């Protein structure tokens, strides 16, 4: 937070194929459509399916200077390697959304960090598409931070999804809402 | 990738795009007739985007067999009076230097984009600012310059390329966009609008078929006694005009500053974050951001150095632009340097620490 309203730095990480980049782009697109300033920075190394993938998103009420996130306010991790890599970089009093379907350990982090442990893969399978686990996690994040809503993300989704994937819009929108519902039920917010 | 119908072009609406794609679309808006290029990371989104959009517009896209071919295709297209461009990343730009020198010798307009990566050699694919010398000193052989823009946001990637086409046609020379991997890859909201058109000199030198007129000859070989010397002086006059008229730079809180940080491109974004925080700590610090790297904002920096200040230059290299800063400061104030080469990206915290150290140094 700054005097001029909110300033939120987020890192989203997982393995290649989990839709990490799409999740970041969707968050950025949603923020832009809500009239916020935003930057999205992908890791663009030799990432391949099965390798690691991460991206940085900054959402702000005012112009963003530096697009590089050193210490995020929020971290969404979809697998264990990402938690190990980025967990220690989370700010104190930060927020961790972790995919408990693929992370079986308790994170050893500062006690001021709030943790939402969500079985994103299982919830997505129940909805009929395991690939939507990223949307479940994003929905949980949006509901917790309350800067943007899962509905807004659903409306922005067609703008970041290639048209050939439009048939997946309904299940992904459901997944966003499912994540939001999970946060509502697990945390008194 | 953004698809047809998903974004608004030519309106005030903000669209979310990566730097490479915004630059490509802005080039199309600026009337680019032909794109030639060969793939290399981290600028592949430019040829990928162009390969789809240029045919949609009925314009030319060629994936050449090499960077040498690409720059010489630009030469050919430009010689016919068309707006032509190429893009590459550092190693590919090195391969293009011969062609760029020939473009300068033949006084042909061209737009070249370098989305820099770490070097020397094949280096790596991480963002870097290590081609500053090559870009601002001409790069190829012979006595020539190119106009060089150092954008620092996705919006500026778009804005600079439209201006690059305009200035290339105005001065009949190459204008280069010197970006880096971060600027190419990062996404930000951008407004894609056409630049207001300005009157440009007619391309009466172009090779358009010589029926009913004297033939035009486009060349860079001038063997006659004194002919090349005359051309060199003519080019030099042109370069002096550009240095007088086309400098672009941005300043922030320089007036009362005891420390002035000079940086361009994505490094300038990181610097601006650090300077804002240093101001919150009560440190009197400002920044100057060159937008054109050549012509360099020598006068603006020289003016700032008339009062004694500490100059800190921050680059993603071991120090290249710092030499231009020193030339501008001309010994009037001390100039120090902080850099991260080879794909290293400084953090706001690192630069803030450096600023704090300088404050302590200034007091003792």
């Amino acid at each position: 937070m700054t005097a001029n309203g909110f300033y939120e730095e987020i890192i989203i990480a997982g393995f290649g194929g989990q839709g990490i980049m799409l999740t970041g782009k969707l968050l950025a697109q949603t923020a832009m459509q809500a009239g916020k300033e935003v930057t999205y920075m992908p890791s663009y190394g030799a990432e391949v399916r099965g390798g690691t993938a991460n991206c940085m998103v900054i959402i702000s009420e005012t112009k963003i200077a530096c697009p590089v996130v050193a210490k995020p306010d929020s971290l969404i991790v979809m697998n264990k390697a990402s938690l190990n890599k980025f967990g220690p970089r989370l700010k104190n009093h930060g927020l961790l959304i972790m995919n408990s379907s693929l992370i079986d350990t308790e994170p050893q982090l500062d006690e001021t960090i709030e943790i939402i442990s969500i079985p994103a893969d299982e919830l997505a399978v129940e909805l009929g598409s395991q690939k939507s686990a990223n949307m479940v996690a994003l929905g949980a994040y949006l509901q917790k931070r309350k800067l943007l809503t899962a509905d807004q993300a659903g409306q922005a989704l067609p703008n970041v999804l290639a048209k050939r994937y439009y048939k997946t819009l309904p299940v992904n929108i459901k997944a966003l809402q499912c994540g939001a519902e999970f946060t509502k039920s697990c945390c008194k917010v | 990738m953004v698809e047809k119908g998903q974004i608004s072009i030519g309106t005030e609406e903000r669209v979310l795009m990566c730097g490479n794609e915004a630059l490509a679309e802005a080039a199309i808006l600026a009337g680019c007739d032909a794109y030639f290029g060969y793939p290399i990371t981290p600028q592949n989104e430019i040829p990928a985007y162009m390969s789809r959009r240029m045919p949609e517009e009925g314009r030319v896209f060629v994936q050449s067999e090499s960077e040498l071919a690409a720059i010489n295709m630009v030469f050919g297209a430009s010689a016919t009076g068309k707006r032509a461009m190429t893009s590459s990343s550092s190693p590919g730009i090195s391969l293009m230097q011969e062609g760029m020198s020939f473009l300068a010798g033949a006084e042909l307009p061209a737009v070249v984009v370098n989305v820099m990566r770490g070097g020397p050699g094949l280096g790596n694919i991480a963002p870097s600012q290590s081609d500053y010398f090559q870009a601002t000193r001409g790069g190829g052989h012979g006595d020539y310059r190119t106009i060089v823009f150092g954008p620092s946001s996705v919006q500026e990637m778009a804005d600079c390329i439209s201006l690059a086409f305009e200035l290339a046609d105005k001065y009949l020379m190459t204008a280069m966009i010197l970006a880096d991997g971060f600027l190419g890859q990062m996404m930000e909201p951008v407004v894609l609008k056409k630049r207001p058109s300005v009157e440009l000199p007619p391309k009466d030198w172009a090779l358009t078929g010589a029926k009913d007129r004297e033939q035009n000859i486009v060349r860079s070989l001038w063997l006659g006694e004194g002919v090349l010397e005359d051309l060199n002086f003519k080019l030099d006059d042109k370069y002096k005009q550009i240095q007088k008229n086309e400098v672009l730079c941005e300043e922030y809180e320089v007036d009362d500053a005891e420390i002035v940080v000079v940086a361009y491109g994505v490094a300038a974004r990181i610097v601006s974050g650090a300077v804002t925080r240093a101001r919150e700590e009560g440190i009197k610090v400002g920044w100057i951001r060159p937008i054109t790297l050549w012509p360099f904002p020598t006068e603006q920096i020289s003016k700032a150095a008339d009062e004694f200040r500490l100059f800190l230059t921050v680059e993603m290299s071991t120090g290249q632009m710092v030499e231009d800063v020193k030339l501008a400061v001309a010994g009037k104030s001390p100039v120090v340097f902080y850099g991260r080469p080879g794909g290293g990206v400084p953090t706001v915290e690192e630069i803030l620490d450096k600023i704090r150290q300088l404050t302590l140094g200034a007091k003792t």
Side-chain angles (χ1 to χ4, degrees), chain B residues 326-359:
Chain B
K326 281 181 180 165
L327 284 170
V329 168
K332 290 183 282 189
S333 289
V335 178
V336 293
F337 175 76
Y338 183 75
R340 291 282 306 272
V345 179
T347 62
V348 168
E349 204 62 44
E350 269 174 78
I351 297 170
L352 186 57
D353 274 347
K354 192 73 197 170
I355 292 171
R356 286 185 191 126
Q357 283 168 21
L358 289 176
T359 325

Side-chain angles (χ1 to χ4, degrees), chain A residues 25 28-29 31-32 35-42 44-46 63-68 70 158-164 166, chain B residues 1 3-6 14-16 41-42 116 125-127 181-182 185-190 250 266 269-270 272-273 345 347-348:
Chain A
K25 277 185 206 171
Q29 179 77 27
M32 188 192 72
K36 311 299 178 200
E37 292 300 326
V38 63
T39 61
Y40 159 89
M41 179 84 80
Y44 67 91
K63 203 176 161 194
I64 298 162
C66 174
V68 186
N159 295 322
V160 292
L161 207 61
K163 280 186 177 154
R164 63 181 180 281
Y166 271 19
Chain B
M1 186 191 283
E3 288 176 46
K4 200 178 183 181
Q6 281 191 320
R14 297 195 307 166
V15 292
L16 188 70
T41 306
M116 288 183 279
I125 60 171
F182 265 1
Q185 298 293 321
M186 73 184 276
M187 293 177 103
E188 282 184 306
V190 55
E250 193 185 3
V266 89
R269 297 274 295 260
I270 303 167
S272 84
V345 179
T347 62
V348 168

Side-chain angles (χ1 to χ4, degrees), chain A residues 157-187:
Chain A
L157 189 55
N159 295 322
V160 292
L161 207 61
K163 280 186 177 154
R164 63 181 180 281
Y165 297 124
Y166 271 19
K167 58 180 183 294
T168 69
L169 279 171
V171 69
N172 280 318
I173 288 167
K174 258 192 241 164
L176 282 163
Q177 277 152 0
C178 163
E181 288 302 323
F182 181 88
T183 298
K184 272 189 209 164
S185 63
C186 86
C187 323

Side-chain angles (χ1 to χ4, degrees), chain A:
Chain A
M1 293 285 275
T2 67
N4 302 320
F6 69 82
Y7 185 90
E8 163 94 347
E9 299 186 318
I10 308 124
I11 290 180
I12 305 170
F15 57 75
Q18 278 186 310
I20 300 301
M21 302 305 175
L22 180 70
T23 311
K25 277 185 206 171
L26 176 58
L27 181 57
Q29 179 77 27
T30 309
M32 188 192 72
Q33 289 185 204
K36 311 299 178 200
E37 292 300 326
V38 63
T39 61
Y40 159 89
M41 179 84 80
S43 60
Y44 67 91
E47 271 84 7
V48 287
R49 192 153 302 184
T52 61
N54 69 80
C55 63
M56 306 165 178
V57 178
I58 304 177
I59 306 172
S60 169
E61 293 280 13
T62 52
K63 203 176 161 194
I64 298 162
C66 174
V68 186
V69 177
K71 292 180 175 171
D73 300 292
S74 298
L75 174 64
I76 303 174
V77 284
M78 296 303 288
N79 70 350
K80 205 168 166 179
S82 301
L83 175 63
N84 294 341
K85 185 172 176 191
F86 293 105
R89 280 167 62 173
L90 247 177
K91 267 185 204 154
N92 290 352
H93 303 283
L95 170 65
L96 173 71
I97 307 282
M98 69 172 216
N99 178 14
S100 60
S101 304
L102 297 181
I103 303 170
D104 53 10
T105 49
E106 280 291 307
Q108 303 297 311
L109 297 173
D110 189 274
E111 60 187 21
T112 63
I113 287 167
E114 185 167 1
I115 299 171
I116 294 184
S117 182
I118 179 168
D121 281 73
E122 273 106 319
L123 290 169
V125 168
E126 279 172 30
L127 294 169
S129 166
Q130 190 176 359
K131 284 183 190 163
S132 299
N134 57 344
M135 295 293 129
V136 174
L138 181 62
Y141 163 79
L142 292 170
Q143 179 63 35
K144 180 66 205 170
R145 269 292 188 244
K146 289 198 159 58
L147 302 173
L148 304 157
T149 66
D151 280 348
Q152 284 175 310
Q155 283 154 21
L157 189 55
N159 295 322
V160 292
L161 207 61
K163 280 186 177 154
R164 63 181 180 281
Y165 297 124
Y166 271 19
K167 58 180 183 294
T168 69
L169 279 171
V171 69
N172 280 318
I173 288 167
K174 258 192 241 164
L176 282 163
Q177 277 152 0
C178 163
E181 288 302 323
F182 181 88
T183 298
K184 272 189 209 164
S185 63
C186 86
C187 323
K188 300 269 182 288
V189 287

Side-chain angles (χ1 to χ4, degrees), chain B residues 191-207:
Chain B
V191 175
L192 288 167
K193 268 179 65 179
K194 208 170 174 154
R195 243 180 102 70
S197 58
V198 295
E199 202 168 324
L200 291 165
K203 293 184 172 177
D204 50 12
W205 43 263
L207 309 183

Side-chain angles (χ1 to χ4, degrees), chain B residues 28-328:
Chain B
I28 293 170
L29 266 176
C32 175
D33 295 298
Y35 172 94
F36 310 98
Y38 185 81
I40 182 171
T41 306
Q43 62 83 58
N44 283 325
E45 292 78 12
I46 301 175
Y49 193 88
M50 287 303 210
S51 70
R52 182 171 55 79
R53 286 282 289 122
M54 290 297 266
E56 274 175 16
E57 296 288 323
R59 306 187 201 176
V60 172
F61 169 87
V62 179
Q63 179 176 322
S64 57
E65 68 271 36
S66 73
E67 287 86 350
L68 276 77
I71 193 72
N72 285 296
M73 288 175 187
V74 168
F75 187 109
S78 177
T80 69
K82 297 295 182 187
R83 280 191 164 173
M85 72 173 285
T86 183
S87 65
S88 189
S89 179
S90 309
I93 296 290
S94 290
L95 288 166
M96 291 183 185
Q97 291 304 328
E98 179 194 60
M100 289 177 67
S101 169
F102 279 44
L103 282 161
E107 286 193 278
L108 285 175
V111 172
V112 176
V113 180
N114 181 359
V115 183
M116 288 183 279
R117 54 189 256 178
L122 278 175
N124 61 20
I125 60 171
S128 180
Q129 296 184 322
S130 46
D131 303 346
Y132 179 92
F133 281 150
Q134 183 196 53
T136 58
R137 266 60 181 171
H141 64 279
D143 211 351
Y144 78 99
R145 297 282 186 171
T146 55
I147 298 169
V148 184
F149 294 93
S152 78
S153 65
V154 172
Q155 184 67 55
E156 265 188 7
M157 290 284 271
D159 294 346
C160 285
I161 195 133
S162 5
L163 185 55
F165 275 107
E166 185 181 307
L167 294 187
D169 276 357
K170 184 173 169 188
Y171 294 104
L172 303 183
M173 61 190 286
T174 295
M176 176 184 267
I177 309 294
L178 193 66
D180 63 73
F182 265 1
L183 282 166
Q185 298 293 321
M186 73 184 276
M187 293 177 103
E188 282 184 306
V190 55
V191 175
L192 288 167
K193 268 179 65 179
K194 208 170 174 154
R195 243 180 102 70
S197 58
V198 295
E199 202 168 324
L200 291 165
K203 293 184 172 177
D204 50 12
W205 43 263
L207 309 183
T208 53
K211 193 163 181 272
D212 302 325
R213 64 159 169 81
E214 284 288 298
Q215 72 173 127
N216 285 335
I217 298 174
V218 172
R219 59 175 166 176
S220 71
L221 178 66
W222 308 95
L223 293 174
E225 202 185 321
V227 177
L228 182 58
E229 188 175 9
D230 286 349
L231 174 74
N232 284 140
F233 279 129
K234 183 185 160 200
L235 292 179
D236 189 47
D237 284 345
K238 187 160 82 175
Y239 300 154
K240 284 189 176 114
Q241 246 188 73
I242 293 168
Q243 281 171 307
K244 211 174 119 206
N245 299 327
E246 308 297 349
V247 171
L248 291 174
C249 87
E250 193 185 3
E251 293 186 15
Y252 176 79
E253 309 234 329
V254 171
D255 281 350
D256 71 335
E258 289 162 4
I259 301 167
V260 174
V261 191
V262 187
Y264 73 98
V266 89
R269 297 274 295 260
I270 303 167
V271 161
S272 84
V275 165
T276 306
R277 281 184 51 192
R279 279 271 168 187
E280 284 164 11
E281 293 179 11
I283 301 172
K284 287 187 172 169
V285 54
W287 50 256
I288 296 179
R289 175 172 78 88
I291 299 171
T292 50
L293 303 176
W294 194 90
F296 191 72
T298 306
E299 260 182 51
Q300 287 80 347
I301 289 171
S302 171
K303 201 174 131 248
D306 282 342
E307 264 179 69
F308 184 86
R309 294 179 162 114
L310 282 170
F311 284 79
L312 167 64
T313 306
V314 176
E315 295 175 61
M316 280 144 62
S317 76
T318 49
Q320 301 193 10
M321 183 180 72
V322 64
E323 295 193 1
D324 283 338
V325 176
K326 281 181 180 165
L327 284 170

